[in-house]
Amino acid sequence: MKKINVLIMLACMILASCKPEPVGNPEPDGNDVLPSTIVLEVKDITSLSAKIVFEITDDGGSEITARGIIFDTKEILEYDIANNYSFPDGESVYEWMPTHLEPNTTYYVRAYAWNKLADVSLSEQISFTTLEFGETDGNDDVYDSDGEVNGYEYVDLGLPSGLKWAVCNVGADYPGKFGDNFAWGEINPKDEYTWENYNMMGVEPEDISGNPQYDAARANWGGEWRMPTTDEIRELMDHCTWKRAEMNGIWGMSITGPNGKILFLPSNIFADGTDGGVYWSSVPASDANDYSWVVLFYESGIEPYDAYVCIGPKYSCEGYPIRPVIE
């Protein structure tokens, strides 16, 4: 019996001596200290964006190797790589501005930092709630609207034709939201836009404006809503002032009509990191229907517009938003 007890004690000693050191701690000395982080504040809260400021107050005695924000609509209980927004090395105080948030929605925030000798540390959790769309709290969150058709608002810019432009993109419920993307001539959004899944191959319609089979505005909004033609886009370019602007933290084009009223087109970010936008017209750009006309805007640095605006062709299979019009 004594012999068995001795064997058990020896086995336990061997197992204890083989316990692995924590990953990322090649030189443990028993005094490793976690770094310290704190979310200083969340400010400039609008219905669509906010600015988060956090600080690394102590590196724990060794080099910080990673730092960032964990951001979610549910409480954050632990480090979450799926909702991790990291920052490159820099100062101890960092700012981050998430955009395209949802109005009247509560978000949770924790800052994190890793150092070389210890592990990850998380700040205390804080939360904030975005504003209802239309609240201002000192930010310009208002937009022009002259009425609605089928539940969708429009603005009359005072154009020579009398055409009214929708306040929002198809699939969006406020001007600063990008909405849905569509391939040209398709009426439903999808996850991927390729020639292989393009439904218009072999179909050669002419102008599709108002055709519910091909016009996503008419098919989704009903009534007399439709996609704009190239002539109607040119009217918007020729008779309005286009200027790069911001609505609640979302960059885009502020288009001021002859009567002083404003239309806002949100932009997305191009591959080179610049702000820009592409919106479909209803007109194909080639007989084979492989190109269609779009209105395109992007940064140019040219005053006073700060953007270059043109009509050009894009592959018809690609996914872009639609801003409807109505007579």
Side-chain angles (χ1 to χ4, degrees):
M1 188 67 175
K2 287 183 180 180
K3 189 173 182 180
I4 293 174
N5 290 336
V6 170
L7 290 175
I8 292 174
M9 289 176 63
L10 287 172
C12 291
M13 291 171 64
I14 292 171
L15 288 173
S17 66
C18 294
K19 182 180 178 181
E21 297 296 342
V23 175
N25 190 0
E27 300 176 6
D29 59 9
N31 297 309
D32 302 326
V33 179
L34 290 172
S36 299
T37 60
I38 182 173
V39 177
L40 296 178
E41 60 178 329
V42 179
K43 58 184 182 179
D44 299 341
I45 299 170
T46 71
S47 60
L48 306 177
S49 65
K51 183 177 290 184
I52 299 168
V53 183
F54 77 96
E55 180 180 11
I56 299 175
T57 57
D58 188 345
D59 62 10
S62 64
E63 179 187 355
I64 298 292
T65 57
R67 80 289 296 155
I69 287 287
I70 302 172
F71 185 76
D72 207 343
T73 53
K74 60 180 182 292
E75 292 196 33
I76 301 163
L77 303 179
E78 59 186 8
Y79 177 76
D80 181 1
I81 193 170
N83 295 298
N84 165 10
Y85 299 84
S86 62
F87 293 81
D89 190 13
E91 303 298 328
S92 59
V93 178
Y94 297 84
E95 288 189 359
W96 180 55
M97 187 173 182
T99 58
H100 295 282
L101 306 182
E102 294 293 330
N104 193 29
T105 301
T106 299
Y107 292 91
Y108 298 88
V109 180
R110 296 183 78 171
Y112 72 87
W114 294 74
N115 70 9
K116 226 170 190 181
L117 295 182
D119 204 336
V120 65
S121 67
L122 295 176
S123 72
E124 293 295 323
Q125 179 172 265
I126 65 173
S127 64
F128 68 94
T129 301
T130 51
L131 303 180
E132 291 277 5
F133 194 77
E135 293 184 57
T136 61
D137 85 334
N139 293 281
D140 185 12
D141 196 18
V142 297
Y143 60 95
D144 289 322
S145 174
D146 293 302
E148 64 177 51
V149 176
N150 280 8
Y152 301 100
E153 293 179 273
Y154 64 82
V155 59
D156 183 351
L157 297 169
L159 297 169
S161 68
L163 189 72
K164 283 83 172 173
W165 283 76
V167 167
C168 302
N169 294 346
V170 177
D173 50 8
Y174 40 89
K177 193 171 183 179
F178 207 63
D180 293 325
N181 287 324
F182 299 88
W184 190 86
E186 295 186 358
I187 60 175
N188 295 306
K190 52 192 179 185
D191 295 330
E192 188 177 10
Y193 295 85
T194 66
W195 286 117
E196 286 72 21
N197 67 8
Y198 185 47
N199 295 330
M200 295 289 287
M201 294 297 293
V203 180
E204 299 180 10
E206 297 181 356
D207 188 339
I208 61 174
S209 185
N211 184 336
Q213 186 176 357
Y214 303 115
D215 183 337
R218 178 63 59 86
N220 287 277
W221 284 17
E224 297 301 312
W225 288 108
R226 58 180 178 81
M227 295 172 66
T229 67
T230 50
D231 287 342
E232 290 163 345
I233 291 173
R234 287 191 182 95
E235 180 186 47
L236 195 68
M237 294 169 60
D238 293 342
H239 294 274
C240 299
T241 300
W242 293 56
K243 185 176 179 60
R244 186 174 183 269
E246 178 183 357
M247 176 183 281
N248 266 10
I250 305 301
W251 287 103
M253 296 303 296
S254 175
I255 303 169
T256 305
N259 62 5
K261 293 186 177 179
I262 294 175
L263 181 73
F264 183 77
L265 296 181
S267 66
N268 56 352
I269 304 299
F270 291 145
D272 62 1
T274 58
D275 288 315
V278 179
Y279 284 74
W280 284 124
S281 81
S282 63
V283 182
S286 64
D287 293 337
N289 193 31
D290 49 358
Y291 290 93
S292 298
W293 294 113
V294 298
V295 58
L296 167 70
F297 57 84
Y298 56 89
E299 292 181 3
S300 70
I302 300 173
E303 294 291 348
Y305 304 117
D306 296 324
Y308 179 73
V309 185
C310 67
I311 293 176
K314 284 287 187 179
Y315 285 127
S316 300
C317 68
E318 296 177 352
Y320 298 116
I322 292 170
R323 179 59 64 93
V325 296
I326 196 164
E327 304 290 344

